[in-house]
Amino acid sequence: MENPFYNDIYEILQTKGCEGLPVGIIAKQVYNRHAGLFNTELTYERVYQNVRFFLWAQSCKPSSPFTKRQDDHL
């Protein structure tokens, strides 16, 4: 699955480490990175839905970099 915000999501979560973040905060940071005066097609709701669905889909995959693994606590 190709997501236009993959790199942003990865960078935002990487800075938090194992703590993670709520989807709303991730979506707000992604939106702020891409929103601008001339980017009128992008809405926060659209970014939120994209991020939420993407992270939900990734959480079902054991090999996803967006899931917490058992060996992360060792």
Side-chain angles (χ1 to χ4, degrees):
M1 173 182 201
E2 186 66 30
N3 187 293
F5 306 123
Y6 176 87
N7 290 332
D8 298 311
I9 295 169
Y10 188 79
E11 289 173 12
I12 291 165
L13 287 173
Q14 190 175 27
T15 61
K16 281 309 270 184
C18 293
E19 296 173 34
L21 287 170
V23 174
I25 293 176
I26 298 168
K28 188 181 292 185
Q29 290 185 22
V30 170
Y31 176 76
N32 288 339
R33 288 181 178 201
H34 293 275
L37 183 61
F38 301 106
N39 193 357
T40 58
E41 295 178 10
L42 186 68
T43 64
Y44 172 76
E45 291 78 19
R46 186 171 157 212
V47 172
Y48 179 85
Q49 291 298 328
N50 183 294
V51 170
R52 184 176 67 91
F53 179 76
F54 176 72
L55 290 175
W56 173 79
Q58 290 294 311
S59 72
C60 299
K61 298 177 181 178
S63 63
S64 171
F66 300 106
T67 59
K68 192 174 217 177
R69 293 180 189 84
Q70 291 294 345
D71 59 346
D72 288 344
H73 298 287
L74 300 177

